[in-house]
Amino acid sequence: MNHTKTYLRYLFIAVLGFSGVSLHAQLLWKISGKGLAEPSYLFGTHHMIPIAFLDSVPGLFKAFNQCDAVVGEMVLNNIDASEKIMEASMLPQGLTIDSLLNEQDYTLVDMELKSMFKIGLKELALMKPAVIRTMYETELYRKYTGFSDDIQSDSYFQQVAEQKNKKIIGLEDIDTQIALLFGNTDQKREALLLVETLLHKEESIREIETLNSLYKAGEIDKLVELAKVQGDPLSMTHEEYDQLIDSRNQNWVEQLPEYMHGQACFIAVGAMHLGGENGLIHLLRKEGYKVKRVK
């Protein structure tokens, strides 16, 4: 088994991504007004939903074809980021996973990983707990849902854009994304989250069901509400939520006008970034744009 190739598969999934008037209506939005020569479109993605789902979103491909540029969280196609991602996934020098876990937790994690991947903590001793957790959750998702797509919706739109000679624009670079996903220096907390995930994997499966149902129904505000729920060890702190969602939304809404006034844009970002008072829909409206559901 090629362990490096396996690690990268899960890490690229992590980088790609963490999101009813009528079914799916709230996933696709039209942006107009404030002097835009042509409308742009905003679509909320979910990186672990089959590509076939896109066929069920009314008006999606028509909107995509009307745009000259595709805007994503970062430019995914033709990026050789393997070395950077692998470097970011490793623990600081002198620190190993066994120093972050007591004997009981180490045994638990080791057994669960061997059950899932046929490899244990001995092979992953230098990997950050957050990376191991991402690998585990992704494979748990795949096994539970039967998800087998090798391409996620985030990268799908960019691949089609490349084929159609559309411009591809990234709101962030690979270094920014890596810092957001793997930059937490509190490895003790990350180790705790890893253990809690394994102890409560049934709850993780139920959360997967809930997230998928909300996404498919276009309930973007409820996705945001769910992400903000506090009260268990796996919940994001207010600071983590602000760093991953709110602060990025503010940065993006400062960039988007320049792109939209230059050409019609198809903006495809994680659905979690659309809803709520600090979501892109509300922020764009505050800037004076008309943002309406595509029916």
Side-chain angles (χ1 to χ4, degrees):
M1 182 177 183
N2 188 328
H3 296 324
T4 300
K5 185 176 180 180
T6 302
Y7 300 154
L8 287 173
R9 172 190 171 197
Y10 292 108
L11 296 179
F12 270 114
I13 289 174
V15 170
L16 295 176
F18 270 67
S19 235
V21 173
S22 62
L23 192 61
H24 316 316
Q26 288 181 279
L27 292 176
L28 180 63
W29 299 76
K30 180 180 179 179
I31 306 169
S32 61
K34 204 176 180 181
L36 289 181
E38 299 175 279
S40 288
Y41 293 88
L42 175 64
F43 179 66
T45 63
H46 182 17
H47 63 271
M48 293 297 277
I49 287 290
I51 293 299
F53 169 78
L54 300 178
D55 292 329
S56 68
V57 182
L60 179 62
F61 292 106
K62 181 180 179 180
F64 178 84
N65 289 329
Q66 289 176 353
C67 294
D68 303 308
V70 171
V71 180
E73 296 183 23
M74 72 172 186
V75 177
L76 299 165
N77 301 336
N78 300 323
I79 288 182
D80 184 11
S82 304
E83 185 175 339
K84 286 186 175 182
I85 292 175
M86 281 301 296
E87 182 180 349
S89 72
M90 307 301 285
L91 283 165
Q93 189 171 4
L95 193 63
T96 56
I97 191 70
D98 58 320
S99 66
L100 300 171
L101 300 169
N102 60 40
E103 184 177 349
Q104 181 179 350
D105 289 342
Y106 183 97
T107 301
L108 167 69
V109 175
D110 188 56
M111 290 178 61
E112 283 288 338
L113 293 178
K114 286 178 178 176
S115 174
M116 186 72 78
F117 301 108
K118 312 303 179 188
I119 58 173
L121 284 178
K122 181 179 179 180
E123 292 83 0
L124 302 175
L126 300 180
M127 304 293 284
K128 289 180 178 177
V131 176
I132 299 173
R133 181 186 175 203
T134 296
M135 293 170 58
Y136 181 85
E137 288 180 327
T138 302
E139 190 62 19
L140 182 68
Y141 182 103
R142 289 180 177 275
K143 288 190 174 184
Y144 177 72
T145 64
F147 180 86
S148 59
D149 285 5
D150 289 327
I151 182 174
Q152 287 74 44
S153 57
D154 313 65
S155 55
Y156 170 78
F157 289 115
Q158 294 192 22
Q159 288 189 16
V160 177
E162 190 173 24
Q163 294 168 7
K164 293 180 176 290
N165 294 316
K166 294 179 185 285
K167 185 185 296 184
I168 302 173
I169 300 169
L171 295 167
E172 297 171 345
D173 57 26
I174 183 64
D175 293 323
T176 301
Q177 290 254 323
I178 286 175
L180 286 166
L181 291 166
F182 305 127
N184 187 355
T185 56
D186 188 355
Q187 300 303 328
K188 277 287 187 181
R189 170 169 162 74
E190 295 296 349
L192 170 64
L193 293 175
L194 170 62
V195 173
E196 289 293 330
T197 298
L198 302 188
L199 285 173
H200 304 288
K201 59 183 178 182
E202 291 80 9
E203 294 176 20
S204 296
I205 291 173
R206 287 196 292 271
E207 184 172 319
I208 288 169
E209 289 182 315
T210 301
L211 289 172
N212 284 357
S213 296
L214 291 175
Y215 177 78
K216 289 179 178 179
E219 298 283 2
I220 54 175
D221 286 334
K222 290 184 179 179
L223 282 173
V224 172
E225 291 171 10
L226 183 64
K228 288 184 174 182
V229 170
Q230 300 285 306
D232 66 74
L234 294 176
S235 300
M236 277 194 288
T237 65
H238 295 300
E239 292 77 12
E240 288 169 340
Y241 185 89
D242 178 72
Q243 183 182 37
L244 286 171
I245 307 295
D246 288 349
S247 292
R248 296 169 75 197
N249 289 348
Q250 189 60 56
N251 289 335
W252 295 350
V253 86
E254 292 173 5
Q255 299 177 54
L256 287 173
E258 177 184 350
Y259 302 138
M260 294 190 297
H261 284 273
Q263 64 266 297
C265 294
F266 184 85
I267 305 158
V269 296
M272 201 76 74
H273 293 281
L274 270 60
E277 63 180 10
N278 295 314
L280 290 178
I281 293 169
H282 183 66
L283 293 177
L284 285 168
R285 286 173 174 167
K286 284 180 64 177
E287 292 296 314
Y289 295 97
K290 297 177 182 178
V291 187
K292 297 182 178 180
R293 296 182 180 90
V294 174
K295 299 183 180 179

